[in-house]
Amino acid sequence: TSFQYLNKLADISISLSSEDDLLTLLRKILEEGQNIACCDAASLFLINEVNDLERGLVFELTQNDSMDFPFEEKRFPIDVTSIAGYVALTDNELNIPDAYELPPDVPYKFNRSYDRNSGYRTKSILAIPLTDKQKSVISVLQFINRKKARSLKVTDEKSAVAYTLPFDSDINVLLHALASQPGIAIENTYLQNEI
């Protein structure tokens, strides 16, 4: 029920506010988001200044219930051709029922290279912008492959089709509430680093 979720969010909020290590905090956010959304994977992209004129997206963290894969931090430009870039630039969430079946008129594409290399199948995606107090986007959270049960493993096309669901509006509201938490922490960490 949404009442249980609200209690859960209050608990999460308290535990996050006591966390002063940013990486640990961000991992907790992904984990709690996966719990709330009952989804297979979650990723976080941070926006950082490359120089005075240019900002870039950094693929900072990812977690996946079904597969272990070597993580490497990746940097790429912020533009509308990627899902995370589109969300970062427009400050709009994207709720995608099937990453392989995008409408033909959208500017963004789904990068299938991870799926190709691992045999994974990304289906449903919810990408949410995180903003600072000035309402500038500083990060993008992506939740991937909402599942019928958290214990189910998504390892290929067949299991993705059988076990995954689109993200629904009730869950989106809760994930937005969760996503409002790390924005403040990321901003505070940036400020401390600058000091």
Side-chain angles (χ1 to χ4, degrees):
T1 67
S2 44
F3 184 69
Q4 285 170 314
Y5 275 131
L6 286 172
N7 278 342
K8 176 95 178 119
L9 278 172
D11 292 344
I12 293 167
S13 181
I14 291 161
S15 88
L16 293 178
S17 61
S18 62
E19 184 53 67
D20 50 11
D21 177 63
L22 183 64
L23 208 58
T24 309
L25 173 93
L26 296 175
R27 282 189 196 287
K28 274 188 184 174
I29 292 278
L30 292 189
E31 182 61 34
E32 294 298 354
Q34 281 182 270
N35 289 338
I36 288 171
C38 189
C39 70
D40 198 46
S43 303
L44 181 113
F45 299 81
L46 286 176
I47 293 170
N48 69 357
E49 310 294 325
V50 178
N51 53 45
D52 290 346
L53 300 170
E54 197 188 345
R55 297 182 318 148
L57 263 181
V58 184
F59 181 45
E60 191 68 44
L61 269 184
T62 190
Q63 293 173 184
N64 188 313
D65 287 349
S66 298
M67 287 193 170
D68 275 332
F69 63 99
F71 173 73
E72 51 186 285
E73 188 178 284
K74 285 197 180 75
R75 292 171 180 272
F76 46 98
I78 301 178
D79 59 38
V80 294
T81 62
S82 71
I83 289 169
Y86 178 89
V87 170
L89 268 182
T90 62
D91 190 12
N92 286 322
E93 76 162 48
L94 283 178
N95 186 348
I96 298 168
D98 189 341
Y100 286 24
E101 301 284 337
L102 295 175
D105 56 344
V106 297
Y108 47 84
K109 299 218 173 352
F110 173 67
N111 180 349
R112 296 190 191 190
S113 59
Y114 167 65
D115 283 12
R116 270 199 301 272
N117 295 338
S118 64
Y120 192 70
R121 167 64 158 97
T122 303
K123 200 160 164 38
S124 53
I125 298 176
L126 179 70
I128 303 175
L130 274 64
T131 55
D132 61 15
K133 293 187 196 81
Q134 285 74 45
K135 298 283 177 241
S136 301
V137 180
I138 52 173
S139 179
V140 175
L141 268 175
Q142 259 183 207
F143 298 102
I144 295 156
N145 283 351
R146 186 176 166 226
K147 299 187 280 193
K148 293 174 181 174
R150 187 80 196 266
S151 57
L152 294 167
K153 296 275 184 259
V154 178
T155 51
D156 55 15
E157 175 80 29
K158 195 174 163 195
S159 51
V161 170
Y163 300 150
T164 65
L165 302 161
F167 289 87
D168 67 25
S169 52
D170 289 354
I171 281 177
N172 296 7
V173 169
L174 293 163
L175 289 174
H176 270 281
L178 177 71
S180 65
Q181 308 278 340
I184 299 153
I186 294 168
E187 191 176 6
N188 290 346
T189 307
Y190 279 162
L191 287 173
Q192 282 164 358
N193 290 347
E194 281 168 19
I195 294 161

